[in-house]
Amino acid sequence: MIRFLPILLAILYALAMYRFSAWRTARELDAKSTPLVDPKLNDMSAKMAKALDLPRIKVHLYEIEPVNGLAAPDGRIFITRGFYNKFRQGAVTAEELASVIAHELGHVALGHSRRRMIDFSGQNALRTALAMVLGRIIPGIGVLIANGLTSLLAARLSRGDEYEADAYAAALLTKAGIGIGPQISLFEKLDALSQNGAGRPPAWLLSHPKTEERVAKLRKLQLRWEG
C-alpha cells in the first residue's frame, strides 16, 4: 500500500487542482471581461456564424494587455484588450482578428479547451508522482527530471492542438468567404505585435509551434482550397 501512496496522492491532487483551476479561471474571466461589441468584428463574426449554421458567435473582451486570444473551458471566446487595441490602431485588420476568433473556436469545437484544463491537472499529478518516486531513487535531481519530462509532454500536446486549431480556422474562414490570407498575414506580423521589449518570447508563442511551420501548412491548404 505504501508503494502506491504517491500515485494515490497524485490522483487526489489532480482532482483538487482541476476543480480549483476551473473555478479560478471562470472567476478571473468573469471579473475582467465584457461582451466585445464592434461593427466590423460583428460583421466578421456573423459570416463565420452563418458558415457554422449558428445564430451568432459571442466574443468577449478580456481586460489584459498581452496580445492574445483564448478559449475558456466553458466554451467562451476571448480577445485581449491588447489585441483589440492593435486592431483599433490599424495594426491588425478585422479579417485578421477574425482569424484569431476562428482559431479559438477550433479549440472549443475540437475539445482542446476543456481537455487542456484536465491535462494541466494531469500533468501536475504526473509531476508530483514522478518527483516523489524519482526523488527517492535519484536524490537531488529527481525533481528536476520529473519537471523536465512533464514539460516536454505538455509542449508536445500543445503544439498538436495548435496545428489542429489552425486547420479548423482555415476551413471556417474559407467557408465564410474570408479566406486563409488574413490568417497567414497575421502570423507573419505576430512576433512584432506581441513583442514585449524584454527579450522574452511573446505570450502567444509560448509552447506553440514555430510560426514559419504554421504558415507553411496554411499555404498548402490555401493552394488546395483557394488555388
Side-chain angles (χ1 to χ4, degrees):
M1 179 66 184
I2 296 177
R3 184 178 302 176
F4 295 102
L5 184 59
I7 297 175
L8 178 61
L9 290 174
I11 293 172
L12 293 174
Y13 176 76
L15 291 172
M17 281 298 299
Y18 172 75
R19 291 185 177 278
F20 176 72
S21 297
W23 171 81
R24 184 176 60 181
T25 298
R27 184 177 180 183
E28 164 81 8
L29 293 173
D30 288 343
K32 294 186 177 181
S33 67
T34 55
L36 176 55
V37 180
D38 184 282
K40 291 182 179 179
L41 295 180
N42 288 349
D43 181 57
M44 294 292 108
S45 294
K47 290 181 179 180
M48 291 189 289
K50 183 177 180 181
L52 292 170
D53 197 25
L54 294 174
R56 61 177 298 190
I57 295 172
K58 296 181 180 180
V59 182
H60 301 265
L61 187 63
Y62 186 21
E63 297 292 345
I64 61 174
E65 285 306 313
V67 173
N68 212 341
L70 62 97
D74 60 11
R76 289 181 292 172
I77 306 299
F78 295 84
I79 296 294
T80 65
R81 170 65 69 177
F83 219 151
Y84 182 62
N85 285 343
K86 296 293 184 183
F87 164 68
R88 293 287 301 273
Q89 294 162 7
V92 175
T93 67
E95 290 79 6
E96 289 171 339
L97 205 54
S99 76
V100 179
I101 297 171
H103 178 91
E104 299 306 329
L105 283 169
H107 282 312
V108 173
L110 298 171
H112 296 162
S113 303
R114 186 174 294 276
R115 195 193 75 202
R116 280 179 174 182
M117 184 67 73
I118 297 172
D119 283 348
F120 173 75
S121 302
Q123 288 155 22
N124 279 324
L126 179 61
R127 181 182 288 109
T128 301
L130 283 175
M132 289 179 178
V133 174
L134 293 177
R136 294 179 180 179
I137 299 173
I138 317 173
I141 63 171
V143 174
L144 295 177
I145 295 174
N147 288 337
L149 289 174
T150 49
S151 295
L152 286 173
L153 173 63
R156 184 180 181 88
L157 291 171
S158 180
R159 286 193 293 270
D161 287 354
E162 294 307 315
Y163 283 129
E164 291 180 2
D166 285 348
Y168 179 96
L172 173 56
L173 293 167
T174 300
K175 186 176 181 181
I178 299 171
I180 302 175
Q183 193 178 7
I184 293 173
S185 63
L186 180 63
F187 274 130
E188 290 175 336
K189 66 174 71 170
L190 202 53
D191 286 18
L193 288 173
S194 306
Q195 190 54 252
N196 57 18
R200 296 189 297 271
W204 179 280
L205 300 178
L206 293 175
S207 301
H208 285 40
K210 292 182 179 179
T211 302
E212 56 268 25
E213 294 177 359
R214 300 172 78 173
V215 169
K217 288 181 178 293
L218 289 173
R219 289 195 185 281
K220 288 182 180 179
L221 293 176
Q222 188 178 37
L223 287 173
R224 188 190 310 169
W225 297 340
E226 299 180 7

